[in-house]
Amino acid sequence: VSILRREPRARILRHAHSHHRSLSAVSSALANVTPPGSPDRTCSTEEEEAHVEEVPAGLPDVASQIPGLFEESGCAVVAHRGLGMNLKPGRGIRENTVASIIAAHDFGADWSEFDVQVTKDGVPVLWHDDFISVRRGDGEVENFAIRDLTLDELKRVSRAAIATAEAAKIGDTRAVKATRSRPSSELEYSGSEADEFELEDFTNVSDCADSAGTSGYLSEEECGERARISKSVAPMSPTEEPVVLYRKFAGTEAPAPWIMDVEDEIPTLHELMTKAPNSLGFSLELKFGTPEDFPGGKKVDPARMVMELRATLAVCKSHPRRRVAFSTFDPDAAIHMRTLQGLYPVMFITNCQPGQEDLRRCTVEAAIKTAIDADLVGLVIRADVLRNDPTVPQRVRASGLMLGSYGGPNSDLDLVERQVDLGVGYLCTDDVPAVARLMSSRSTTRNAVLVAGAR
């Protein structure tokens, strides 16, 4: 496998064995996977490989859960929130939905990254922002934490918002007024700042709305059957008040109506697991906002955090054929998830930004130490950190960790190629079609060279 020629091979194999052994108590419940015996830590790479035992046909083993480890290009194309985050309302598919994630698969993604939070009644759902901002009728925008809403409450809001959006598209006067107007008062808004995506990160953002296949901006016709998922929602009745979701987009001063051309409801993790193609790997970002990430947010209680992690893990275990990896900006969540289980790899996401309250998030060295101490499989680092300091990939990989990257710069194909050449194995991007084509061409070129060499 191409990536194994670059990565610390023995470390990855040992990590896979370590994960598998820690799963022994629950392996039969997961997939009837028989954990391999304990490897000799002093043996050679070839002897370590001999310890790897096959699992039943069709079921992923530990190593296959690691993004990028077995992709032909040596790097997994990871779709950000499906076919791309919503930079602005309008043309595109709503992020973190079944429709967007299936579209990402159809455009060539190996994996899809998405954000997971848990409702008040313990159900994992897909949603990025620390709050969902809702306006009903002519009222003000109200902010609700996902963990303060039950699944039923969240679904009712989501479906009502879709019904309003669809009614506006066909000219319903009340819906049109609701989707085009703003509240009279400006409220403090907790939006999507944790991932620090800024409009200027995107090299061609001015063209996004006019270019099909760029950052997820596709019309209903271009999305085909995927665009019709939202039509299953009941239309807005004459007695119902309009419901509109709001978001503060980058570059705007106040929250704006968040309506996409292609709408789909907020899904549960189980719904996504059931509906998405089996070949698509899932990279679950575990969301636990802090005051540093979201103004007005608060650190999640450790007991609540563990409950949410267990709820998320339970859904993953109920779909044993699905490739799954976990990632999070919260180092405590990463440590807890690694402690709770041993099958699925866990990665720590960091922007390596100095001045943060949690020192583990401030530097590359602190992130490496955090990952090694917690026996995590690797780090996902903001792409501009790698762009500004090309020594970072070597430092991370020399520590025996896999390396991934995220952020707006991952729509820059030249930067993408440089990262892959430096050993990045997990590349989270909003421009799935372009990056997937690039990775495909690299695989084709590499295979042609190998064939020529064999002759």
Side-chain angles (χ1 to χ4, degrees):
V1 179
S2 58
I3 195 172
L4 290 179
R5 300 191 186 103
R6 303 193 304 272
E7 292 292 340
R9 186 186 186 98
R11 199 302 181 160
I12 289 178
L13 289 169
R14 283 199 299 269
H15 188 90
H17 285 303
S18 173
H19 271 58
H20 234 169
R21 288 199 312 278
S22 66
L23 187 66
S24 59
V26 294
S27 60
S28 60
L30 278 174
N32 294 318
V33 176
T34 303
S38 176
D40 180 357
R41 296 292 176 148
T42 63
C43 64
S44 67
T45 297
E46 289 74 17
E47 290 171 330
E48 282 188 298
E49 289 178 352
H51 284 287
V52 178
E53 297 183 7
E54 293 186 0
V55 298
L59 295 181
D61 60 9
V62 176
S64 68
Q65 309 273 11
I66 300 176
L69 194 58
F70 294 112
E71 272 72 28
E72 286 189 12
S73 66
C75 181
V77 178
V78 183
H80 182 225
R81 305 186 203 173
L83 198 57
M85 68 177 290
N86 298 152
L87 291 170
K88 55 185 177 181
R91 197 172 185 216
I93 308 176
R94 178 169 291 279
E95 66 183 38
N96 277 328
T97 59
V98 173
S100 186
I101 290 169
I102 291 178
H105 170 268
D106 291 350
F107 278 103
D110 304 307
W111 292 68
S112 180
E113 181 270 356
F114 51 84
D115 307 285
V116 175
Q117 300 189 52
V118 178
T119 62
K120 184 178 181 179
D121 47 348
V123 181
V125 297
L126 275 61
W127 186 259
H128 174 269
D129 300 359
D130 204 32
F131 295 92
I132 182 169
S133 296
V134 183
R135 187 186 184 199
R136 295 182 174 87
D138 296 325
E140 302 295 341
V141 175
E142 299 178 275
N143 295 329
F144 302 95
I146 297 297
R147 56 181 51 92
D148 290 336
L149 298 175
T150 66
L151 177 63
D152 179 67
E153 291 170 335
L154 185 63
K155 284 287 192 179
R156 281 193 281 113
V157 166
S158 176
R159 290 166 180 164
I162 293 175
T164 300
E166 296 299 330
K169 291 174 185 177
I170 61 175
D172 182 287
T173 304
R174 294 178 305 135
V176 169
K177 178 182 177 181
T179 56
R180 291 183 178 176
S181 61
R182 297 173 181 268
S184 57
S185 63
E186 293 187 3
L187 302 178
E188 181 182 48
Y189 178 81
S190 296
S192 51
E193 299 302 321
D195 288 357
E196 297 183 353
F197 286 94
E198 299 293 342
L199 213 56
E200 56 267 25
D201 283 337
F202 292 83
T203 56
N204 297 310
V205 73
S206 61
D207 300 326
C208 284
D210 301 316
S211 301
T214 303
S215 298
Y217 287 96
L218 301 171
S219 68
E220 294 197 6
E221 292 75 14
E222 291 161 332
C223 294
E225 291 301 318
R226 292 183 295 275
R228 296 175 174 80
I229 293 179
S230 63
K231 306 304 187 295
S232 61
V233 173
M236 188 175 72
S237 71
T239 59
E240 289 180 307
E241 65 178 359
V243 174
V244 180
L245 300 184
Y246 275 69
R247 177 187 248 183
K248 186 179 183 299
F249 295 93
T252 62
E253 296 182 359
W258 182 9
I259 298 170
M260 307 306 296
D261 282 350
V262 181
E263 287 285 352
D264 196 13
E265 70 179 69
I266 300 171
T268 67
L269 179 58
H270 173 72
E271 289 169 346
L272 176 63
M273 290 275 189
T274 302
K275 296 176 181 179
N278 292 330
S279 61
L280 184 64
F282 285 167
S283 177
L284 282 65
E285 183 182 332
L286 308 168
K287 302 295 292 188
F288 296 98
T290 69
E292 293 175 339
D293 300 323
F294 300 100
K298 60 182 179 180
K299 184 73 174 177
V300 176
D301 177 82
R304 171 76 193 191
M305 177 182 287
V306 171
M307 182 281 288
E308 293 187 6
L309 295 176
R310 288 184 180 278
T312 302
L313 186 58
V315 176
C316 296
K317 289 180 179 181
S318 68
H319 297 270
R321 296 182 184 274
R322 177 73 63 184
R323 292 181 298 157
V324 170
F326 296 116
S327 63
T328 180
F329 280 90
D330 191 310
D332 293 326
I335 293 168
H336 286 315
M337 182 56 90
R338 177 62 186 94
T339 303
L340 287 172
Q341 56 84 43
L343 175 59
Y344 306 116
V346 182
M347 299 173 286
F348 175 36
I349 315 174
T350 178
N351 57 12
C352 301
Q353 181 67 42
Q356 299 181 81
E357 181 178 335
D358 192 329
L359 297 180
R360 294 171 294 182
R361 304 173 61 176
C362 294
T363 65
V364 173
E365 288 70 25
I368 290 173
K369 184 178 186 304
T370 298
I372 291 176
D373 289 349
D375 196 25
L376 307 182
V377 75
L379 300 174
V380 181
I381 297 177
R382 186 171 166 84
D384 55 1
V385 175
L386 308 183
R387 178 179 58 192
N388 297 336
D389 185 354
T391 70
V392 170
Q394 190 277 331
R395 285 149 58 194
V396 173
R397 292 174 54 240
S399 301
L401 299 169
M402 72 156 285
L403 175 62
S405 70
Y406 77 95
N410 278 347
S411 293
D412 179 343
L413 297 185
D414 290 336
L415 177 61
V416 168
E417 283 216 271
R418 292 201 299 273
Q419 290 184 67
V420 178
D421 290 338
L422 290 171
V424 170
Y426 170 111
L427 196 136
C428 187
T429 180
D430 287 273
D431 196 349
V432 172
V435 174
R437 287 193 298 268
L438 174 64
M439 292 299 107
S440 178
S441 67
R442 288 177 63 96
S443 299
T444 301
T445 301
R446 176 172 292 151
N447 290 339
V449 170
L450 292 175
V451 169
R455 291 174 179 171

